[in-house]
Amino acid sequence: MLKKEFIGNFYRDGKFYCTETVKVYDHDFSTFSNGVVIPHGIYDVKLNEGYITLGTSKDTSEFCCDCIKEWWENYGKENYLKANSILVLADGGGSNSSRHYIFKEDLQKLVNEIGIEIRMAHYPPYTSKYNPIEHRLFCHVTSACKGAVFSSIDVVKSLIDKTSTSTGLKVFSTIKDKVYATARKVSENFKKNMKIVFDDYLGKWNYRVIPEMKT
């Protein structure tokens, strides 16, 4: 499931037990939809907990950073009281692309706001399957949602919240209705004065975003 889905009476692959036949559209035309749901996942390897933010707008770098902020403010800073850095293992493309400066600019704004360093470690192309989130969270969320008709975003949320495994996985979800702009451009000043510290080894995929001192 962990991809953009239309909200509406559309067919979805899989089996789902119900008391009567459910009639749905066999093609998910956007004109028949009631909106979209865009899931963004964070997986805590230590606690075996997943955090899914359900967006209703666009999958942008700003949305990605808002998801990290939401996790930190509601869970992270309480679970890790002595933390002075956050390590994020992420894919190399999409809204958190390692190549896009707009993501780095939004990430800098985020760490300035929350006041804690974020260390980014992007997986190189074709290696994201090794990211723990793929086989310890996403596959179980996908299984929990199989066959279900996404008639509303609240239905999606309830299915995700029920996701669990025999090894103790817990999943928490939240809905974010904020509208995100697309095709944003990075500011020239950011490129010139960027404070991000790139690692000596494979720096294009590994770097630290450090909070800037307030003047």
Side-chain angles (χ1 to χ4, degrees), residues 7-26:
I7 298 295
N9 196 35
F10 302 118
Y11 170 80
R12 298 188 66 256
D13 191 33
K15 295 181 179 180
F16 197 84
Y17 292 102
C18 52
T19 57
E20 59 184 17
T21 301
V22 178
K23 295 183 179 181
V24 296
Y25 297 117
D26 60 350

Side-chain angles (χ1 to χ4, degrees), residues 115-133:
I116 186 171
E117 169 193 290
I118 292 181
R119 168 174 279 279
M120 291 298 305
H122 293 278
Y123 282 83
Y126 310 110
T127 64
S128 60
K129 63 183 178 181
Y130 297 107
N131 192 334
I133 199 171

Side-chain angles (χ1 to χ4, degrees), residues 153-203:
I153 196 168
D154 291 317
V155 169
V156 180
K157 184 180 187 307
S158 66
L159 290 167
I160 291 175
D161 287 342
K162 292 177 182 177
T163 305
S164 62
T165 66
S166 59
T167 56
L169 172 69
K170 296 180 181 178
V171 182
F172 308 92
S173 67
T174 185
I175 297 172
K176 196 162 195 66
D177 285 324
K178 181 178 176 180
V179 176
Y180 293 94
T182 58
R184 292 168 55 232
K185 301 294 183 182
V186 65
S187 62
E188 282 191 25
N189 288 338
F190 177 75
K191 283 188 176 183
K192 291 179 181 178
N193 307 312
M194 187 169 56
K195 305 296 184 182
I196 291 175
V197 180
F198 295 90
D199 288 9
D200 293 333
Y201 183 68
L202 299 178

Side-chain angles (χ1 to χ4, degrees), residues 13 18 30-32 53 60 66 101-102 117 126 136 139 173 175 190 193 203:
D13 191 33
C18 52
S30 59
T31 51
F32 296 151
T53 302
T60 67
D66 278 351
Y101 280 95
I102 190 66
E117 169 193 290
Y126 310 110
R136 295 182 65 177
C139 61
S173 67
I175 297 172
F190 177 75
N193 307 312

Side-chain angles (χ1 to χ4, degrees), residues 25-208:
Y25 297 117
D26 60 350
H27 287 79
D28 53 353
F29 295 118
S30 59
T31 51
F32 296 151
S33 74
N34 300 317
V36 297
V37 55
I38 301 170
H40 186 281
I42 293 175
Y43 176 66
D44 187 319
V45 178
K46 181 179 179 181
L47 297 181
N48 193 23
E49 292 182 348
Y51 310 89
I52 307 290
T53 302
L54 302 174
T56 58
S57 178
K58 301 291 183 180
D59 186 18
T60 67
S61 61
E62 187 182 5
F63 172 56
C64 176
C65 290
D66 278 351
C67 294
I68 298 174
K69 177 185 174 183
E70 186 112 7
W71 166 78
W72 175 249
E73 292 188 338
N74 292 292
Y75 302 97
K77 66 182 180 182
E78 292 185 7
N79 292 334
Y80 302 100
L81 296 175
K82 298 181 180 180
N84 55 22
S85 181
I86 301 170
L87 172 62
V88 177
L89 308 179
D91 291 350
S95 58
N96 47 238
S97 174
S98 60
R99 296 178 291 107
H100 293 168
Y101 280 95
I102 190 66
F103 172 63
K104 292 178 174 66
E105 184 174 25
D106 286 339
L107 205 57
Q108 185 67 66
K109 293 176 183 177
L110 171 63
V111 299
N112 290 348
E113 186 174 352
I114 64 177
I116 186 171
E117 169 193 290
I118 292 181
R119 168 174 279 279
M120 291 298 305
H122 293 278
Y123 282 83
Y126 310 110
T127 64
S128 60
K129 63 183 178 181
Y130 297 107
N131 192 334
I133 199 171
E134 295 289 344
H135 49 86
R136 295 182 65 177
L137 175 62
F138 287 167
C139 61
H140 301 300
V141 172
T142 299
S143 179
C145 295
K146 268 190 174 180
V149 176
F150 288 171
S151 56
S152 70
I153 196 168
D154 291 317
V155 169
V156 180
K157 184 180 187 307
S158 66
L159 290 167
I160 291 175
D161 287 342
K162 292 177 182 177
T163 305
S164 62
T165 66
S166 59
T167 56
L169 172 69
K170 296 180 181 178
V171 182
F172 308 92
S173 67
T174 185
I175 297 172
K176 196 162 195 66
D177 285 324
K178 181 178 176 180
V179 176
Y180 293 94
T182 58
R184 292 168 55 232
K185 301 294 183 182
V186 65
S187 62
E188 282 191 25
N189 288 338
F190 177 75
K191 283 188 176 183
K192 291 179 181 178
N193 307 312
M194 187 169 56
K195 305 296 184 182
I196 291 175
V197 180
F198 295 90
D199 288 9
D200 293 333
Y201 183 68
L202 299 178
K204 65 180 179 180
W205 293 317
N206 302 285
Y207 50 88
R208 294 162 56 217

